[in-house]
Amino acid sequence: MTYSYKQFFRQIYESAPPKYACTAPDAASFLIWKDKSRDHLRELLGLSRLEQFIADSAPYSREAELLSTFQEDGYTRYKLKIQTLPDVFMPFYMLVPDGFSDSRPHKAMIAIPAHGASKESVAGVLTAPGVREKLAADPKESYGLQLVKIGYTVFCPDPPGYGERLEPVSMEDRTFLGDVLPNPLGSSCKNLTMTAEALGLTFAGLALWDLMRLVDYTETLPTVDSERLGCCGFSGGGLYSMWLAAMDDRIRLAVISGYLHSAKESILETHLCPCNFVPGLWRDFDLCDIASLIAPRPAFFENGLQDVLNGPKGIDDPISQFHKIQRIYSLFGKAGHVRHRTFDGPHMWYGLGYDFIDEYLSSSL
């Protein structure tokens, strides 16, 4: 006897296929589905509500503010911030390789951190609290640093609730837990998700909004080639990379590590962070449908064979999701533009996609 809701939730999920599942038989049909799906997702994510709020609010500056400059070995690290919403600011690093000419645009990547990480760990800022210890345990997770070393201008943001954007400790936690020291590599996803949803917004929508404002900023830079702008991320950063590339065609390429799963076999079973959940999403889309919105732009996915987030079916679930995505690319005759690689390891950024990035961003697509 069990008193759990688990089987009930599975029955609800299985009672009807997602309404917006991508079954397009040809490229033209897919493009129609893509437009309709994006419009619907804008409503589910709360983006339309944000746009209306901005339209009704006093205007604010969209200019970036330079906070610091630091010369590293082979590149310069700039710290900046931009305002993304009224009274909301996003800090980020811009890493620029030495020797880049200001007279011509260059290829660029947005590198988004995972849970338990921040812009500092992705950018390899070892002086930040907790970063040296984290990268000693997970040295590959400084993928922003690795990208600038191979010739990319790299933007490393703190998404909402990450790094310097941790929310203040709640009154309840202060009352019952006492003095709680903030974890510099923690996140405020739970608090932000609950508050956002009560206001008709979503955490995913807030994160996507901020990242799209970062893309806006890159378009103001004559040194960034807008035709060679990609994004990448691991785990939660892979989730945000998927949303950004799926909803914004200005992203020309995406690398998504540790985040190719189905809702039913992975998220429903493993109960990931609240930022994975969008009210009503599973009635209409599986994750392969959202990822398919990236097509036919290049996309690379990687999963560890021992990743617990693969769910009870193991690697078979990510592989099944990939085949559905690849079918959409085949409609455009570009099945090779989407790739999936596995490695014998756990949930981690393995870094199998660097050659893929070079292959497609070395020249305009």
Side-chain angles (χ1 to χ4, degrees), residues 38-289:
R38 279 185 169 175
D39 287 344
H40 186 53
L41 284 167
R42 293 178 67 81
E43 296 299 322
L44 291 179
L45 290 165
L47 295 180
S48 298
R49 181 165 170 75
L50 284 175
E51 289 173 345
Q52 186 59 54
F53 184 79
I54 294 300
D56 295 339
S57 301
Y60 56 87
S61 173
R62 308 299 174 93
E63 297 293 322
E65 179 182 347
L66 178 63
L67 302 176
S68 66
T69 303
F70 195 87
Q71 180 62 50
E72 295 278 11
D73 183 17
Y75 67 96
T76 303
R77 183 178 72 244
Y78 302 92
K79 183 178 180 182
L80 305 100
K81 70 176 182 181
I82 53 173
Q83 187 167 1
T84 61
L85 289 165
D87 296 314
V88 176
F89 296 85
M90 179 171 66
F92 62 95
Y93 289 119
M94 181 172 69
L95 313 179
V96 181
D98 288 350
F100 265 27
S101 170
D102 292 339
S103 63
R104 65 183 183 88
H106 302 274
K107 56 191 179 182
M109 290 288 291
I110 297 173
I112 308 171
H115 290 101
S118 67
K119 68 183 183 301
E120 279 78 19
S121 58
V122 170
V125 183
L126 299 180
T127 55
V131 170
R132 185 179 297 274
E133 295 78 8
K134 175 180 178 56
L135 294 182
D138 302 299
K140 293 185 177 183
E141 250 188 84
S142 59
Y143 36 88
L145 176 60
Q146 302 309 312
L147 284 163
V148 73
K149 287 183 175 180
I150 58 174
Y152 290 82
T153 295
V154 186
F155 300 87
C156 305
D158 271 336
Y162 281 61
E164 291 186 278
R165 303 182 74 188
L166 282 172
E167 291 292 306
V169 176
S170 70
M171 182 180 296
E172 181 184 38
D173 286 347
R174 289 200 308 270
T175 301
F176 292 103
L177 300 179
D179 292 331
V180 180
L181 294 176
N183 177 1
L185 296 179
S187 66
S188 306
C189 297
K190 183 184 77 169
N191 290 349
L192 286 170
T193 296
M194 292 188 297
T195 305
E197 290 180 2
L199 292 170
L201 304 170
T202 66
F203 182 92
L206 293 174
L208 174 59
W209 178 275
D210 281 5
L211 291 168
M212 292 171 81
R213 304 293 71 79
L214 181 55
V215 176
D216 292 345
Y217 171 69
T218 69
E219 291 190 314
T220 70
L221 300 175
T223 55
V224 171
D225 185 348
S226 61
E227 294 299 313
R228 295 191 291 163
L229 174 66
C231 68
C232 66
F234 162 61
S235 193
L239 165 65
Y240 307 138
S241 294
M242 179 188 72
W243 276 120
L244 180 59
M247 297 296 288
D248 195 330
D249 284 337
R250 294 176 297 175
I251 296 298
R252 307 295 290 171
L253 170 148
V255 172
I256 298 167
S257 174
Y259 204 87
L260 178 59
H261 313 290
S262 69
K264 175 184 171 185
E265 298 301 337
S266 174
I267 302 177
L268 184 61
E269 293 291 329
T270 57
H271 283 201
L272 303 179
C273 175
C275 64
N276 289 267
F277 299 89
V278 173
L281 181 67
W282 294 356
R283 294 175 306 183
D284 298 330
F285 300 91
D286 200 353
L287 269 68
C288 61
D289 302 311

Side-chain angles (χ1 to χ4, degrees), residues 315-336:
I315 197 62
D316 288 348
D317 182 56
I319 289 174
S320 174
Q321 291 282 293
F322 174 73
H323 287 160
K324 294 176 182 178
I325 299 166
Q326 190 176 47
R327 184 189 75 82
I328 302 304
Y329 279 76
S330 297
L331 300 178
F332 292 87
K334 293 186 176 181

